[in-house]
Amino acid sequence: MQGCGAGSRLRYRLTLVTGMLECLCFAGLVFGFASLVFVLKADGYFSDLCVSIPGSNSTDCSRQDEQFSLIFTIASFLNNFINIIVGYLFDRFGTLVTRLLGISLYTTGTVLVASSSAAMAILLYPALSCLAVGGVLFLLTNMQVGNLFPDHRSTIITLYNGAFDSSSAVFLLFKVLYEHDVSLRTSFLVLSFCSIIHLLRTFVLLPRTHIPYTLPQHYTYGWECEKGNTYNVEQLEKTGEDGMGGSQEPSGKDAGPTAAEDGTETEKKVESFRSCVLSWFFVLHLLWLSVMQLRHYLFIGTLNPRLTRLSNNDPELVSQYTNAFAMTQVCGVLCAPWNGLIMDRHKGKPLAPGVTEQEADLRSSVLSLFLTCLQCLLFSVCASIPSLPLQYLTFVLQVLNRSFLYGGTAAFVSIAFPAPHFGKLYGMVMALSAIVSLLQYPCFALIKGALGGDPFYVDIALILLTLLVFSHPAYVFFHCRRAARKRGDQTQTKIDKGTVMAEAKL
């Protein structure tokens, strides 16, 4: 074991870097759908649904746009909803099983796209869904890498989520390659062969089970160290030790060791999964994610027809703005760490007397939650203004908010709830938010139908809905305030009792 332990720091860094590259190059491809749609339209996918408008030289392709919107709606829905299953799978069976499933689905998706054509456009439905689910499995199994670096844990979690967002720019690369006579089939076949890299990383640079938190001394994992100092999440649930996040209750009560009357330490029971789901922390966090995610999904899914309308059907302008949108997505990996730094800004500083680590983490998360809400509000306002040049600013705000949103979602769940439930709770919040995201398709149908292609009124409704998400940071703020006041009252009570006892002795 000493041989393994001696190189553990290097192994940690290799795991971090390769996980970053995996998320950046593969995990979130489906959210670059706007770039892919441009190529698919050029190849004639669903072109039979376009009809000529009598008395003019133009065609109506609204039914074609509906097909692409439906493909994205289903893929983005499964990207989140399937988390409720894979979260349990990850908690129960660990990293190896989860990643093997993810690699299988991802490879299936790439092969299906490579096998598709204008005549077999229907293959895009299962293909994009497999890519979405496989990609989110890569992200889920990589987020635990933050446990290897405790002082920067939230920063790494948000960084990985930012890389997940930035990977949507890969479809922009495919679009550029397509314009230089590299077929879509060739690009996706290359992605298929990259699954060999994912397999090698799974066996060499990741544990079979989980990376625990807090990290034990000389913790090792991987191909040569699999029988070393590794931990199983089932054992953590029985002993109450930490696995993915702090094991405190979201109500503010410390679920760690507590002092008994005889001065010994006793272990509090880990909070149940049911009580976590029924807590206000979970409900408001679900609302916070669902509303903002719906705003983003609707924007991405309708971007092509939106740009087509604002550019008066100029394909060159549509291509130019599509490229600009895809390029901004690359910046997600640069934006996300700022959110992690905000959440980790108290790390390394001594805690105030009586303040738990979880309470300190929650207090730091308030600013992150509020800034995410504010970004979404500004993004929604810009998106509602029918000005083509203004869309550049909309793209910037969108990628900034999206990187804060998903990194903050995972980091908050790891902070606010017990570690043994992380996979299940993260899966639950993503799955339930996915159900809300299904509203994007009726919204798209409303825009194309009753609103005549003008999304203005839907955008205004979403702006009003976005105001509700500010309730989440407000609740966390007042929760921390109440906890501080309660701690102060308890301290004062102890002082008063001590004073009374001293006076009685005199």
Side-chain angles (χ1 to χ4, degrees), residues 13 16 189 221 300 480 492 494:
R13 293 188 181 97
L16 174 65
L189 284 176
Y221 57 89
I300 295 171
C480 294
Q492 186 61 45
K494 290 180 180 178

Side-chain angles (χ1 to χ4, degrees), residues 1 37 56 75 109 120 132 169 175 192 220 266 272 297 331 362 364 374 377 384 398 408 430 450 491:
M1 271 311 300
V37 166
S56 68
M120 292 292 292
K175 177 178 178 290
S192 300
T220 56
T266 59
S272 69
Y297 281 4
C331 300
L362 282 174
S364 290
L374 184 61
L377 181 62
S384 66
Q398 190 270 343
M430 296 301 286
T491 302

Side-chain angles (χ1 to χ4, degrees), residues 12 62 92 100 117 149 163 174 217 247 309 375 377 386 388 454 472 478 488:
Y12 292 177
S62 59
R92 179 66 180 82
L100 290 178
S117 63
F149 306 89
F174 287 4
Q217 191 176 13
S247 59
R309 180 175 178 276
Q375 292 162 3
L377 181 62
L388 191 58
D454 187 354
H472 186 30
F478 286 112

